[in-house]
Amino acid sequence: MIFERIAVEEADGVVLAHAVEAAPGKLLKKGHVLSRVDIDALKNNDVDTILGARIEETDMPEDTAAATIAAPLAGANVVVSPPFTGRANLFAKTRGITVINEEGIKTANHIDETITIATVKSNELVDAGQMLATVKIIPFATPKEKVANVLDNINRSSQPIVSVHPFVRKKIGVISTILPNTKEKVVEKSERILADRLARCDNQIDARRRCDHHEDALAEAITALDKDGCNLILIFGASAITDRKDVIPAAITQAGGEIDHFGMPVDPGNLLLLGCLRDKLVIGLPGCTRSPKLNGFDFVLDRLLADIPVTASDIMDMGAGGLLKEIPSRPHPRNQERKATAAKGKSVAVLILAAGQSRRMGRKNKLLAEIDGKAMLRHTAETALKSKAAKVFGVSGHDKEKIETLFNNLKITSFHNPDFAEGLSSSLKTGFRALADEYDGILVCLGDMPLVSSNLFDDLIDAFDVEEGRAIIVPTFQGKRGNPVLIGSQFKNDILTLTGDIGAKSLIAENETYVFNVEADKDSIFTDIDISIFTDIDTPDALSALQQA
């Protein structure tokens, strides 16, 4: 192809590179092939030269080239539209999952810069009529030799370049294992979300089982679904899988199955377990599948329901593009105004409870008692401010003016709890009403914890991961749980039902499935006089000991 500026008189058969006015108000468009009539009109309009391309014998015109290349690209359930302006598009004939021969596309795109092929991603869910690929010839023609090279590459490929696998109806069984503290509404919600996932792939839950979270009981449930004819068995564990010999993999083996792979480089979704029982697939679901948000299980489920095999190697190849967690550059879809915690993709606020009356301290408000020249509450607040939490807030009640002045001096926003006399639960309610809709999690800290370290705050925040099922984070030391505690905002309604002075203990006990313990370093939880952060400073003797330490 020869591209140059050409005298109009010599431009017969030339393809216009740009629109040209042949007469007032009459344009000859880009790509128009000039005839003798066009040339006469241009000359009459005082046009002397044009930019254009002269197609040679060794060239193939753009539309012909696009159509020639697009035709063999189309595999199963793919159709090609007629070419236009050097472009030919491929569309899905049916709903399903794409399979793209990425190496074939790469090779073809390296043959010549004039030939380009773009496709959707492989293993993507597409609807009937959706565009899957486009072939675009960049100039007005491309060398025939290069088109032949592309065709040779396509014909030598071991698999189709672009195809769609439709969803196949399978009989699907679901097992939910139960622990003493597993709540019925958690199981129901998890199965409802799974049903929505399956419906998206033209499938449904056909059989359900509940059993104790024990390998013997689970093996029996797996065997029962096997006898029912289920060819895909999905297992919600009451507790996350931690090892190939844990309850779920042990049960699969006990039922006569095998473990193909445990773990995947997709986050959320790390703890997925892929197993089989003869020709039937058995999958241990990660905790993130209890959420409707995209996770690693979606990558596996879509393929399996389109009869695309998923092997251990396939799962290990999912790391590139497998980071699905929200990061500051990818805002939370539910509320893009949420404030991200420093260096994390979650938003966590610290809530310091400072509304109590300190009844066991006598008339003195222990939160205002000085330790090393500072009020006890100030020590706690300054530590919270040093953490990676998005922001620190406080709750005032008793001694409202003094407590709020202290918070204000540290530029900490506080909320007044007029019902402080009703106990700790009233302060929790005050804080969650104000913050739960803005933050993913709230780290609740008692105001009388001057020995807590900012490192402990950060460890709790790092462990918090709702998608992985870690929605309540509790510090422990030698098996004993304490404070501060990080609670996911999804528990707002549960918090608002609390009463009395025991805080969130009942909430934690009723939601053990979501609880994750963080072991605290001894040095961070004890002073030289052995006062633990797990025991808030409630008596004059404890306060005096701390002041003298």
Side-chain angles (χ1 to χ4, degrees):
M1 185 183 76
I2 301 171
F3 187 95
E4 60 185 351
R5 183 167 290 282
I6 305 170
V8 169
E9 180 61 38
E10 300 173 0
D12 189 17
V14 169
V15 182
L16 279 176
H18 305 286
V20 179
E21 193 171 51
K26 180 182 178 182
L27 284 179
L28 299 178
K29 295 182 180 180
K30 170 187 173 182
H32 179 77
V33 179
L34 293 176
S35 65
R36 289 308 311 179
V37 173
D38 297 325
I39 290 172
D40 291 341
L42 289 171
K43 290 167 62 178
N44 290 335
N45 201 36
D46 295 327
V47 177
D48 297 323
T49 63
I50 54 95
L51 272 176
R54 195 180 297 281
I55 309 301
E56 300 181 284
E57 281 296 320
T58 56
D59 294 328
M60 184 179 291
E62 57 179 351
D63 282 354
T64 304
T68 301
I69 293 170
L73 290 179
N77 300 304
V78 179
V79 294
V80 182
S81 65
F84 64 99
T85 62
R87 183 185 301 277
N89 296 327
L90 288 75
F91 296 88
K93 290 174 62 177
T94 185
R95 193 164 185 272
I97 300 298
T98 59
V99 176
I100 308 296
N101 183 339
E102 295 180 359
E103 285 304 314
I105 295 294
K106 288 179 182 178
T107 302
N109 279 324
H110 278 76
I111 288 174
D112 192 77
E113 65 179 18
T114 64
I115 300 170
T116 66
I117 305 172
T119 74
V120 297
K121 292 180 180 179
S122 193
N123 301 304
E124 184 173 307
L125 191 156
V126 295
D127 290 315
Q130 183 172 334
M131 186 188 294
L132 305 177
T134 184
V135 178
K136 172 62 177 172
I137 306 303
I138 299 300
F140 301 108
T142 190
K144 293 177 181 178
E145 178 187 5
K146 300 299 183 182
V147 174
N149 290 344
V150 172
L151 295 179
D152 183 57
N153 168 68
I154 295 172
N155 292 331
R156 285 189 290 106
S157 179
S158 60
Q159 68 180 74
I161 303 298
V162 181
S163 59
V164 176
H165 287 226
F167 291 117
V168 177
R169 185 73 176 84
K170 296 181 182 293
K171 187 169 184 179
I172 300 173
V174 176
I175 304 172
S176 295
T177 68
I178 308 296
L179 287 170
N181 293 316
T182 302
K183 300 179 75 171
E184 176 65 21
K185 65 180 182 181
V186 171
V187 175
E188 292 177 352
K189 179 182 177 183
S190 300
E191 292 182 357
R192 185 172 64 252
I193 289 172
L194 176 59
D196 290 340
R197 275 194 164 90
L198 295 174
R200 182 176 64 104
C201 301
D202 302 336
N203 273 266
Q204 65 182 28
I205 298 175
D206 297 293
R208 303 170 194 257
R209 293 285 188 279
R210 308 272 176 90
C211 68
D212 291 338
H213 190 70
H214 189 280
E215 53 270 28
D216 293 343
L218 181 55
E220 290 180 7
I222 293 171
T223 300
L225 291 181
D226 179 25
K227 290 180 179 179
D228 283 347
C230 293
N231 42 31
L232 175 59
I233 299 172
L234 306 174
I235 303 171
F236 281 112
S239 182
I241 306 171
T242 58
D243 189 85
R244 271 179 166 258
K245 295 182 180 180
D246 206 343
V247 170
I248 293 177
I252 294 172
T253 303
Q254 190 171 319
E258 298 179 357
I259 306 305
D260 295 324
H261 192 73
F262 174 47
M264 70 186 310
V266 180
D267 197 358
N270 295 139
L271 301 182
L272 182 137
L273 179 86
L274 184 66
C276 64
L277 183 60
R278 299 182 306 282
D279 59 339
K280 303 180 178 184
L281 287 167
V282 185
I283 299 177
L285 302 175
C288 57
T289 56
R290 298 183 188 275
S291 164
K293 294 172 61 177
L294 181 68
N295 62 74
F297 174 58
D298 292 305
F299 291 0
V300 174
L301 181 67
D302 290 354
R303 301 185 199 187
L304 293 178
L305 295 182
D307 266 354
I308 301 172
V310 177
T311 66
S313 178
D314 293 327
I315 288 178
M316 288 186 279
D317 285 343
M318 293 179 182
L323 181 58
L324 308 179
K325 283 186 174 295
E326 293 161 343
I327 56 177
S329 62
R330 179 167 31 181
H332 198 293
R334 290 170 296 179
N335 185 345
Q336 296 195 6
E337 297 303 316
R338 288 191 179 222
K339 302 175 178 67
T341 298
K344 307 298 287 184
K346 51 200 157 192
S347 57
V348 174
V350 173
L351 180 68
I352 301 174
L353 305 186
Q357 301 179 72
S358 309
R359 289 193 181 100
R360 282 180 284 179
M361 293 293 296
R363 295 182 178 180
K364 189 172 185 178
N365 188 338
K366 63 180 176 181
L367 297 180
L368 302 175
E370 288 196 356
I371 300 170
D372 293 335
K374 294 181 186 177
M376 181 189 301
L377 177 60
R378 188 178 183 103
H379 281 281
T380 304
E382 288 180 348
T383 299
L385 289 169
K386 292 176 184 175
S387 74
K388 62 175 64 172
K391 199 168 182 181
V392 178
F393 298 88
V395 176
S396 66
H398 178 62
D399 272 343
K400 174 180 182 292
E401 185 176 337
K402 294 179 182 179
I403 296 296
E404 291 187 356
T405 297
L406 188 152
F407 280 138
N408 288 338
N409 288 340
L410 292 172
K411 297 182 178 170
I412 292 175
T413 300
S414 60
F415 314 106
H416 180 61
N417 171 21
D419 302 317
F420 63 88
E422 296 179 6
L424 192 63
S425 62
S426 63
S427 291
L428 278 172
K429 293 178 185 178
T430 298
F432 269 76
R433 284 193 192 100
L435 302 175
D437 293 337
E438 186 175 3
Y439 294 90
D440 295 316
I442 299 173
L443 205 170
V444 181
C445 181
L446 306 178
D448 58 347
M449 300 179 67
L451 303 179
V452 68
S453 71
S454 59
N455 287 337
L456 180 58
F457 279 50
D458 292 346
D459 289 344
L460 298 176
I461 292 170
D462 287 341
F464 179 62
D465 193 318
V466 174
E467 284 77 15
E468 289 291 343
R470 301 192 298 272
I472 301 175
I473 314 299
V474 183
T476 64
F477 181 70
Q478 296 181 348
K480 183 178 179 181
R481 287 176 173 174
N483 290 294
V485 174
L486 203 169
I487 302 173
S489 293
Q490 71 263 40
F491 294 106
K492 174 184 175 181
N493 291 336
D494 299 275
I495 290 289
L496 296 182
T497 66
L498 298 176
T499 58
D501 202 37
I502 61 171
K505 289 182 181 178
S506 61
L507 171 71
I508 294 171
E510 293 173 2
N511 292 278
E512 282 290 339
T513 302
Y514 296 100
V515 176
F516 184 82
N517 296 324
V518 170
E519 185 68 17
D521 190 319
K522 178 179 179 180
D523 291 338
S524 72
I525 63 173
F526 289 101
T527 69
D528 291 339
I529 58 168
D530 201 35
I531 295 179
S532 167
I533 64 165
F534 295 159
T535 304
D536 47 346
I537 301 164
D538 282 340
T539 66
D541 289 343
L543 175 61
S544 177
L546 180 59
Q547 289 172 325
Q548 296 172 21

